[in-house]
Amino acid sequence: MTLVAGVDSSTQSCKVVVREAETGRLVREGRATHPDGTEVHPDHWWTALQSAIQQAGGLDDVAALSVAGQQHGMVCLDDDGNVVREALLWNDTRSAAAAADLTAELGAQHWAQRIGLVPVASFTITKLRWLAQHEPANAKRTAAVCLPHDWLTWRLRGTGDLADLVTDRSDASGTGYFDSTANEYVPELLERGFGRADVVLPRVLGPAEFVEGPVRLGAGAGDNAAAILGVGAGTEVLVSLGTSGVVTAASDVRAADASGIVAGFADATGRYLPLACTLNAARVLDATARMLGVDLATLSDLALSARPGAEGVVLVPYLEGERTPNLPDATGALHGLTLTNATPANIARAAVEGMLCGLAVGLDALAGQGADVTGVLLVGGAAASPAVREIAPTVFGVPVTVPAPGEYVADGAARQAAWTLTGGTTPPEWQGSESSRYSADGVPEIRARYAEAAQRYLAR
């Protein structure tokens, strides 16, 4: 029996799964938490990875491993490989002004056509512009720039040589200075963002390529690309409800959306991954439960006890700013409260509907880029909520399939690791998990009221 390991180094934690390479059967797993915050020293990721690996029984009998991680971010290293400053994570919005400046300098259409992205605060290029403007001494010390999963793979290699940094096409495609059609970095964009292009960037490996370390190390992937591999989504639209909300689907064509709603990322197999992302997903439910003084199970019960549309109560859930639409300084708002509808049940339902309505905007945008939105695969922590499962079809207007809970990002990384052992043009076929299907008629009034409330916010 050959074993492979997959790592998901996410915003909140590190998960490690060990699976049979041939079948995908789960053998063992481990996890460890990451500190809160939007800037974190990478050493915390390394410590968590070592703890999760130990909890998962170690790597002595593992033949290959791949690391998937939170996308974007900014890890700066000096000439000796030391971390220059704490890494800025994807959800750190301090570079919003830099993103706006970069977009204005070349125009949104140019960015979309050149690399499939329009700069927003999440992308690495905007964080590098912020660094150059606000911490010039740290910018000057920077000899190499990489992403969270690149850094962990490099640490696992253990050479300490900046030339040994590697990445994959999916994660590179979210930096803002990589052309995923030509599969090459764009130095003039890096120079525009950072003021210089003489930094080491990770070598981009192919989907089944690997490098040597304590075990064979796959190219890794951005978390969303790994999740598609892990859940086996094929051409279906995937909606993921974690810290952020993600709507994505594999495609043969790179998106070029000048509105910036759909980012034209690459996937982990050589194709493309048009993707819309909201900053606010599962934590909207956490915040609402805290506000109502209940746990998440009770919040779900309350939401399901209210009628669709929550009697006119609407939550616009921009609790941590927002990326879709691009409103980094936004806050959330409750609309439509009256003396009769201001009940815990309606507020609970409005929270679930508002979170899902934000993602439905992404579904519409993906459809505008040619995606076939006739059904949705729903994954992520918040997909465990009965209210989310049952309300999602009424908001999305299409059937929703919920696979059994799993660590799909880590599973996708493990599948990629198995691919390094088999080679070929496609990853190995693994047996899919059981799933539940939810069908219901859409309730257009929910989306209409949400759009009206969101528009009032945008018109301020």
Side-chain angles (χ1 to χ4, degrees), residues 323-335:
R323 171 170 158 178
T324 302
N326 185 25
L327 297 168
D329 298 320
T331 56
L334 268 173
H335 295 265

Side-chain angles (χ1 to χ4, degrees), residues 90-295:
W90 63 275
N91 56 350
D92 190 295
T93 60
R94 73 186 69 184
S95 61
D101 290 344
L102 285 165
T103 301
E105 288 165 17
L106 295 179
Q109 189 65 46
H110 177 90
W111 285 97
Q113 292 296 328
R114 184 68 181 87
I115 59 169
L117 310 176
V118 177
V120 294
S122 296
F123 300 154
T124 313
I125 191 170
T126 71
K127 300 177 189 303
L128 289 172
R129 169 68 72 91
W130 180 89
L131 186 72
Q133 291 176 334
H134 295 272
E135 297 180 0
N138 283 335
K140 186 176 181 180
R141 280 185 59 207
T142 298
V145 179
C146 60
L147 305 179
H149 106 255
D150 311 341
W151 185 82
L152 284 170
T153 302
W154 181 70
R155 283 296 307 270
L156 284 167
R157 294 192 76 179
T159 68
D161 188 342
L162 297 180
D164 288 335
L165 283 163
V166 294
T167 191
D168 86 301
R169 184 168 160 270
S170 72
D171 225 2
S173 70
T175 59
Y177 44 83
F178 181 79
D179 181 346
S180 59
T181 300
N183 286 329
E184 62 186 17
Y185 290 110
V186 186
E188 62 266 28
L189 292 182
L190 176 61
E191 185 165 4
R192 176 170 290 276
F194 196 37
R196 45 187 274 246
D198 61 338
V199 292
V200 175
L201 299 176
R203 179 166 63 93
V204 181
L205 300 179
E209 280 192 81
F210 61 89
V211 292
E212 295 297 344
V215 297
R216 177 175 292 191
L217 298 171
D223 50 4
N224 297 300
I228 288 280
L229 266 184
V231 78
T235 59
E236 295 174 279
V237 175
L238 181 75
V239 174
S240 178
L241 301 174
T243 304
S244 62
V246 169
V247 182
T248 190
S251 171
D252 291 324
V253 180
R254 187 180 74 186
D257 180 9
S259 76
I261 293 177
V262 178
F265 297 141
D267 78 347
T269 71
R271 301 173 71 200
Y272 298 95
L273 201 67
L275 183 148
C277 178
T278 66
L279 289 183
N280 299 278
R283 287 191 288 186
V284 174
L285 307 185
D286 294 336
T288 307
R290 187 168 61 249
M291 179 176 69
L292 295 177
V294 299
D295 59 20

